[in-house]
Amino acid sequence: EIHVSTLSDDLKTINGKSTECLYSMPGTWERCDIDTTRKVAEAPFVLKHKNLYYLSYSCNTFRMGNYSVGYATSKNPLGPWERAEVNPIPFRHGGYAGTGHHAFFTTSAGKLYIVYHAHKNKNTVLPRQMLISPCRFVEQENGPDVIVIDDEIIVPVLSPKT
């Protein structure tokens, strides 16, 4: 479950009780269909776009190929949150499995990217690898803009220790 709360003025403690805003939904990609004890909703990340809050999150269990990122929108950071119809993103992006646990960042040129991890390959989960993809908001005629992950996948290469 993902909870939301306000902070006290010192920004160190929760001001009152937290409120559940999102949980892994049974019968969807969000809930592990093999191990029903795994009720994972984690890695919340919030973006604000056109006065709307976008709460992205990861669900399922990282060991499964369906582990991915979804998002919900709200006019208020405390909710209520409405899941996007286009979920999940970036589900098995570029043929990778387990594409989840993410963050967004914007370059100094204003380009939006998502960084996330994926399984090592189709048969092995660990060690997971990091992937980066450009993404963008696409305007909709009805409803909120949607987050679209572009096809490009950047695989960072770590320098060997010297």
Side-chain angles (χ1 to χ4, degrees):
E1 297 174 354
I2 295 173
H3 291 248
V4 64
S5 181
T6 58
L7 293 176
S8 60
D9 290 340
D10 65 6
L11 302 179
K12 295 180 181 179
T13 57
I14 292 174
N15 187 10
K17 293 183 176 182
S18 66
T19 303
E20 179 186 303
C21 65
L22 197 122
Y23 58 91
S24 59
M25 188 176 293
T28 69
W29 68 273
E30 294 180 352
R31 187 69 64 91
C32 177
D33 55 358
I34 292 175
D35 183 353
T36 57
T37 64
R38 305 281 182 202
K39 300 175 182 174
V40 178
E42 62 181 3
F45 194 98
V46 176
L47 294 168
K48 188 174 182 184
H49 172 73
K50 293 185 177 177
N51 294 317
L52 195 64
Y53 295 91
Y54 287 72
L55 168 66
S56 55
Y57 57 92
S58 291
C59 276
N60 211 295
T61 175
F62 81 91
R63 294 181 301 265
M64 304 303 294
N66 286 349
Y67 182 70
S68 197
V69 176
Y71 71 91
T73 58
S74 177
K75 293 179 181 177
N76 186 311
L78 297 175
W81 295 91
E82 184 176 331
R83 285 176 169 83
E85 292 180 16
V86 297
N87 284 340
I89 62 161
F91 187 65
R92 298 189 180 202
H93 193 57
Y96 288 95
T99 49
H101 213 124
H102 68 294
F104 289 96
F105 67 92
T106 304
T107 66
S108 58
K111 181 73 177 155
L112 183 64
Y113 286 84
I114 183 172
V115 58
Y116 52 101
H117 63 68
H119 292 174
K120 180 178 180 181
N121 57 48
K122 291 181 181 181
N123 302 315
T124 307
V125 173
L126 300 173
R128 292 179 283 177
Q129 60 183 324
M130 182 191 310
L131 304 173
I132 303 170
S133 293
C135 55
R136 56 200 155 82
F137 288 94
V138 175
E139 193 169 325
Q140 302 296 295
E141 286 186 29
N142 297 311
D145 294 354
V146 297
I147 299 173
V148 173
I149 309 299
D150 293 340
D151 290 338
E152 180 183 359
I153 297 175
I154 301 163
V155 181
V157 177
L158 299 177
S159 301
K161 293 182 181 178
T162 55

